[in-house]
Amino acid sequence: MLVLTRKKGQSVIINDNIEITILEVQGDQVRLGIDAPRDVSIHRKEVFLEIKEENKKAANIGNVLLNDILRKT
């Protein structure tokens, strides 16, 4: 993990096309601004993990249904 120190108004550039800017610091909270291409998905980690879990469940349901269909034919 890369660890950087930034101050309000300073940025970090990722892969030439994603800029993360520190907008505000209040106590133990930091507000970030993220400028990225529209095709780049950006989620808070807890939301990303939920999406990943739901996709995994959906994929398993799809396999079960497909196996049921194959058995019936």
Side-chain angles (χ1 to χ4, degrees), residues 16-69:
D16 292 331
N17 61 350
I18 300 171
E19 182 176 6
I20 300 172
T21 304
I22 306 302
L23 300 178
E24 184 177 358
V25 179
Q26 285 188 342
D28 63 349
Q29 290 190 333
V30 177
R31 290 187 60 206
L32 302 173
I34 303 170
D35 186 16
R38 288 190 171 272
D39 63 332
V40 174
S41 296
I42 302 170
H43 302 285
R44 295 181 317 223
K45 185 175 182 178
E46 61 273 16
V47 172
F48 172 77
L49 294 175
E50 277 186 44
I51 292 168
K52 190 174 174 182
E53 185 61 31
E54 289 299 317
N55 286 343
K56 186 191 269 186
K57 288 178 187 176
N60 287 336
I61 290 170
N63 288 338
V64 170
L65 293 175
L66 181 58
N67 286 335
D68 289 344
I69 291 169

